[in-house]
């Protein structure tokens, strides 16, 4: 994670955008009066929103946790995809 001020980002916006996308990094852009903003790639944002959605429903989250436990215990089912 990088933290930089608004003026630096304004002067180097392409570099800041490239870094958050290419390095899966997040940039905290500091501003006066603690009105900071966060710059992240759309892929990171989409992943965050998906995780929030899954955790929003207790049933979905419980199902996910059980699935992970089953996978860790080796209780996997393999499916062959046909032509």
């Amino acid at each position: 994670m990088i933290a930089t001020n608004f003026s630096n980002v304004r002067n180097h916006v392409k570099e800041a955008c490239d870094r958050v996308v290419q390095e899966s990094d997040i940039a905290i852009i500091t501003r006066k009066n603690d009105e900071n903003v966060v710059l992240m790639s759309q892929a990171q944002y989409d992943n965050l929103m998906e995780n929030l959605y899954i955790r929003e429903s207790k049933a979905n989250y419980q199902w996910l946790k059980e699935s992970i436990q089953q996978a860790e215990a080796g209780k996997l089912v393999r499916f062959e995809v046909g032509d």
Side-chain angles (χ1 to χ4, degrees), residues 32-69:
K32 293 180 182 176
N33 301 324
D34 289 328
E35 294 178 344
N36 302 338
V37 295
V38 175
L39 178 66
M40 68 174 61
S41 70
Q42 182 175 356
Q44 288 177 304
Y45 175 80
D46 291 345
N47 181 270
L48 178 63
M49 292 296 106
E50 181 178 1
N51 279 286
L52 288 174
Y53 175 78
I54 289 170
R55 294 194 69 152
E56 193 174 78
S57 163
K58 286 185 179 184
N60 283 345
Y61 185 58
Q62 186 61 35
W63 178 81
L64 178 61
K65 286 184 358 183
E66 289 173 12
S67 297
I68 291 169
Q69 290 171 349

Side-chain angles (χ1 to χ4, degrees), residues 9-48:
V9 172
R10 182 181 59 228
N11 294 330
H12 302 97
V13 69
K14 181 186 181 317
E15 292 87 352
C17 291
D18 287 347
R19 182 169 176 178
V20 299
V21 171
Q22 295 168 0
E23 299 179 21
S24 297
D25 207 349
I26 294 175
I28 305 295
I29 303 168
T30 58
R31 299 170 66 207
K32 293 180 182 176
N33 301 324
D34 289 328
E35 294 178 344
N36 302 338
V37 295
V38 175
L39 178 66
M40 68 174 61
S41 70
Q42 182 175 356
Q44 288 177 304
Y45 175 80
D46 291 345
N47 181 270
L48 178 63

